[in-house]
Amino acid sequence: MFKKSKLRSSTRGLRASHNSLASSGSEGGLPDAAALSRLPIALNLGDYQMVYEDGCWRSENASAGQPNKELALMRKRVQELSEENNMLKFKVEVLLDMLAINKADFQTLQKELDTRPPLASARK
């Protein structure tokens, strides 16, 4: 199938790349974590290519404007939902305050009724 020279050249290339990773690694020949962490991670998602480098993902596409437009729309929607959530939290707090006031009023009226002497029954 393969010619011996092609097999050697391909394995030689693998050894060379492996040795460059393992040069600062352990004696076992495996690359250390520091060497691996310096390598960028590439991810292809359909027409989009993303690269993870220096702790963040970035787009490698020429048409990178489209994802950025979608990202801007998503951020706007998140902002709107956050504002709506804050308003709903405020409304819940107001309703809880109203409930507490009504309960206090009810308890005050209940105590007044309990301390009031019973009404004389109507004459027969």
Side-chain angles (χ1 to χ4, degrees):
M1 283 186 176
F2 294 105
K3 292 181 181 180
K4 198 170 190 174
S5 63
K6 285 188 179 180
L7 184 60
R8 283 185 185 158
S9 66
S10 64
T11 58
R12 191 177 311 129
L14 288 174
R15 277 192 223 121
S17 65
H18 179 72
N19 287 340
S20 67
L21 284 175
S23 62
S24 63
S26 62
E27 293 180 20
L30 295 175
D32 63 350
L36 287 176
S37 67
R38 290 189 296 264
L39 293 176
I41 298 171
L43 175 67
N44 293 320
L45 301 169
D47 295 336
Y48 301 110
Q49 181 178 8
M50 304 292 291
V51 177
Y52 185 78
E53 230 174 2
D54 299 327
C56 63
W57 287 96
R58 61 182 170 79
S59 176
E60 285 288 313
N61 289 5
S63 64
Q66 184 64 23
N68 290 336
K69 184 182 273 188
E70 290 176 16
L71 182 61
L73 289 173
M74 287 182 185
R75 285 187 176 156
K76 182 180 177 185
R77 180 70 176 144
V78 166
Q79 179 67 29
E80 291 169 357
L81 290 173
S82 178
E83 290 173 1
E84 181 182 353
N85 190 29
N86 288 339
M87 180 59 74
L88 291 172
K89 285 181 180 179
F90 175 73
K91 288 179 179 182
V92 166
E93 287 296 321
V94 169
L95 289 172
L96 286 173
D97 288 345
M98 290 170 61
L99 180 63
I101 290 170
N102 282 336
K103 185 171 182 176
D105 289 344
F106 175 76
Q107 288 175 345
T108 303
L109 290 173
Q110 188 71 32
K111 284 182 184 177
E112 285 179 14
L113 286 176
D114 290 343
T115 57
R116 182 181 277 181
L119 294 175
S121 59
R123 292 186 183 175
K124 294 182 183 179

